[in-house]
Amino acid sequence: MTQQARFPSPYDLAPPPGAEGWKDLYPYYLTFKDKLRSEEDAKFWFCDAQHWPSPFKPFDAITVEFAVKCLGQYNTRHYLVPPANGVEYRIHNGYCYMSPVAVAPELIADRVPQFLERAGHYFQNWHSLLENWDKKVRANIADMETIHFEALPDAVPIEWIKGGVGLDNTYALTENYDRLIQLLYKTWQYHFEFLNLGYAAYLDFFGFMKSLFPSIPDQAIAKMVQGVEVDLFRPDDELKKLARLAVELGVDAALATGTVDEALAAVGQVTGGDVWLKAWKDAQDPWFNFTSGNGFYSDDKYWIEHLDLPLGYIRDYIVRVKRGETIERPTAKIAAERDRITAEYAELLDDDARAAFEGKLGLARTVFPYVENHNFYIEHWSMSVFWRKMRELGQILQQAGFWHDANDIFYLTRQEIRDVIFDYGNGWAVGAKAAGPDYWPDEIERRAAIMKALATRPPQPALNEPPAVITEPFTIMLWGITTDRINAWLGGDDREGHITGMAASPGLVEGRARVIRSASQLDEIEEGEILVAPVTAPSWAPVFGRIRAIVTDVGGMMSHAAIVCREYGLPAVTGTGTASSRIQNGQMLRVDGTTGEVTVLS
């Protein structure tokens, strides 16, 4: 690393032109503060573009607030993870920056027995506790579904008067909004109940294997826990089943063209169409509560609301089925590789070491599936319902004149929305005009312009002086931030045509690059290309059949994208830092997912 090399301070990093005043869009506790400069400049902050790759609309910041707060509390207050507390987070120029909080060395020893008791209870009762988790999450989603927002009527219903209710309609409006926010908060509490333990068990096994075999490749360890069957893959599997069913029933031609409504109407007119339409309808609940984004943004498109997305994937699968291709995941091949490599390393151990090996591997395999499985229930299904309910409220306030579009509600913070609800009810109550319709349209236009300006500049990968060596395992394995990555960001690896990253999923392939920056561009991908992106989402799996490999700017060995690529048998290099800006569409690439090297061939 270059001597004294460092990233810019957030205090020296000006916003792009047109984005002045961006700090006013977020709560005071989410931005860097001048009075805290000496304290905050002493910390290393990295941009979490893996989870939040775009600038936040004001309301959307709720996802980072609830997620990272809950992540921290499970480390710090629930399980007392010996070396790790939570992660501090700030928004700067619209992007999320994080700084892990270590436990003071003198406190670690006292936390060990507490962690073993607390985490040990979960490990020993994993299946029953996880079954209870499933019930809690489904009940929470059902509670969100019961929430409805209604416009204020001309008068309180006469039934309420005669029944002595003693309340007006604004009470329910405010109560339902507050309840929806609390249910989202509960969602993220549940998200982290098991997640950190899933990573912890894997990291324990990882450290054990490194102690026995210092030169063992990280991928060899990862392969020993691969071959998981989780509900995150079910939406894609449902599309594949629908594609095969369409070909078997002979309704594929009817599905081939037209809008969703036109295609479904055409299917209904042919023999066997009713069978296919029932299967299509049955698959939607819950599996179409799935986004081509990651669920963290209000403008993520969910299949259930944009049926053209799953239909487009089905059409693509139908073409491949008719060509005789295998469209299912190579589960048997992946499981065989898992068993082969596990047996090879087990054979090298004596009886005592093998017993420890089998115990730690068994625990890792038991708990690791949650790392992916929760993703469907939280980021996809729960967030699908949440965003839908918020747009319902946005539409009511749009009709009341507060803004021009239902989605304009997301330009407000969650505290401001509560004020708007009161303003709306206040005008209704006194029989006068509310203030909001004369204030919010212009203010939203100003904020939208700031958001547009923020999006013109990619984030700095990190802020302030990095540590000499990155050793924190979660930072390395989840975010892919290593000493080598930081060196590359600072210009330490500028070899022409050569890019390195995390060896995330094995395989060596060549193909033309397709640079994608958002899910809306997925339809641009052509057969046999190599997908290059700042970050991918696990939900991009329906296009994996078209591509040969994936290269991303961010993400570690245990990022969602890396795990999904391994389960689909797709070579991947993650955490390159700069691939999406250094590689151009159409360039020929060689991607080695086994070594983490990407070579531009032409």
Side-chain angles (χ1 to χ4, degrees), residues 171-418:
Y171 184 87
L173 200 62
T174 304
E175 182 181 47
N176 284 341
Y177 174 68
D178 289 344
R179 183 164 164 249
L180 182 62
I181 297 300
Q182 285 303 103
L183 288 172
L184 179 69
Y185 183 56
K186 188 185 287 188
T187 295
W188 287 98
Q189 295 266 319
Y190 292 158
H191 177 283
F192 287 100
E193 182 181 359
F194 288 82
L195 185 62
N196 296 4
L197 296 179
Y199 285 124
Y202 177 78
L203 284 170
D204 180 56
F205 175 64
F206 181 90
F208 174 76
M209 293 303 294
K210 286 289 187 179
S211 69
L212 293 178
F213 307 100
S215 62
I216 184 174
D218 292 359
Q219 278 196 16
I221 305 174
K223 285 180 180 180
M224 295 186 206
V225 298
Q226 70 184 14
V228 296
E229 284 296 328
V230 294
D231 288 338
L232 179 62
F233 303 148
R234 275 291 297 276
D236 187 32
D237 290 343
E238 291 295 319
L239 300 187
K240 292 171 181 175
K241 288 195 296 185
L242 286 166
R244 286 201 176 280
L245 182 62
V247 174
E248 292 168 8
L249 294 172
V251 303
D252 51 293
L255 277 173
T257 59
T259 65
V260 173
D261 289 340
E262 290 168 347
L264 297 181
V267 170
Q269 298 301 312
V270 300
T271 302
D274 57 335
V275 176
W276 192 90
L277 289 174
K278 182 180 185 304
W280 161 261
K281 191 68 176 177
D282 290 345
Q284 293 180 27
D285 186 13
W287 308 115
F288 282 17
N289 287 285
F290 200 63
T291 175
S292 53
N294 61 12
F296 292 132
Y297 293 93
S298 58
D299 55 4
D300 281 353
K301 290 185 177 181
Y302 285 82
W303 293 3
I304 196 71
E305 297 175 287
H306 300 272
L307 292 174
D308 56 306
L309 294 175
L311 180 58
Y313 294 138
I314 290 170
R315 285 170 169 168
D316 188 52
Y317 281 137
I318 286 173
V319 171
R320 294 174 56 199
V321 167
K322 295 176 74 172
R323 287 202 302 243
E325 297 180 18
T326 299
I327 61 174
E328 285 73 26
R329 285 181 292 119
T331 53
K333 179 180 177 182
I334 289 168
E337 176 65 6
R338 174 197 65 204
D339 295 342
R340 180 193 66 79
I341 200 165
T342 300
E344 287 183 359
Y345 279 96
E347 191 68 25
L348 301 174
L349 303 174
D350 59 32
D351 291 344
D352 290 341
R354 184 176 298 183
F357 168 80
E358 291 174 350
K360 292 178 182 295
L361 176 58
L363 178 61
R365 286 182 176 176
T366 296
V367 305
F368 189 70
Y370 178 85
V371 171
E372 287 308 299
N373 207 49
H374 81 277
N375 194 271
F376 172 75
Y377 291 92
I378 305 297
E379 282 91 330
H380 292 274
W381 192 0
S382 295
M383 295 306 298
S384 171
V385 177
F386 176 76
W387 294 125
R388 202 156 59 241
K389 296 300 178 180
M390 282 302 303
R391 281 193 292 275
E392 185 180 306
L393 176 60
Q395 186 172 21
I396 287 173
L397 293 167
Q398 173 200 358
Q399 293 167 350
F402 280 77
W403 36 72
H404 300 304
D405 186 277
N407 288 305
D408 286 346
I409 192 172
F410 300 115
Y411 285 106
L412 282 66
T413 67
R414 70 178 184 276
Q415 294 88 352
E416 289 173 331
I417 292 172
R418 206 172 191 279

Side-chain angles (χ1 to χ4, degrees), residues 548-570:
R548 294 184 178 176
I550 287 178
V551 179
T552 68
D553 294 348
V554 297
M557 274 287 293
M558 287 296 122
S559 64
H560 286 303
I563 295 170
V564 173
C565 284
R566 289 195 292 272
E567 295 298 333
Y568 278 80
L570 194 69

Side-chain angles (χ1 to χ4, degrees), residues 475-490:
T475 305
I476 295 170
M477 304 200 76
L478 182 57
W479 285 288
I481 297 174
T482 65
T483 304
D484 288 342
R485 289 303 91 225
I486 289 175
N487 187 37
W489 289 343
L490 290 169

